Amino acid sequence: MSVESALRDGNGAGFELIETMRWEPGSGFLRFERHLARLYASAAELGFACDPERLGEVLSNTVSGHGT
């Protein structure tokens, strides 16, 4: 399962919300809080569901075992 499909909420609007993040072993996600703030604002504006707890879980699972 891709990260994208794990977070998708079934919104049938015909478009997707994408936020890219840089991750480095030992450092984690760069400017993480800024990325999340932009993602939450965009999701709210466009009517996408955004569950911060689920988002954190998916991101953690995605990078687990890669030197976090």
Side-chain angles (χ1 to χ4, degrees), residues 5-67:
S5 64
L7 296 175
R8 186 166 293 162
D9 66 357
N11 185 321
F15 57 92
E16 299 174 355
L17 179 59
I18 298 172
E19 177 70 26
T20 59
M21 297 181 189
R22 181 175 175 169
W23 178 86
E24 295 181 351
S27 299
F29 291 101
L30 278 64
R31 295 178 286 285
F32 188 64
E33 296 302 321
R34 292 171 69 185
H35 282 290
L36 290 184
R38 184 171 52 224
L39 177 64
Y40 297 152
S42 297
E45 182 69 26
L46 297 171
F48 282 80
C50 191
D51 178 354
E53 186 174 313
R54 178 73 177 126
L55 178 61
E57 178 184 310
V58 170
L59 289 172
S60 292
N61 289 341
T62 300
V63 298
S64 68
H66 294 285

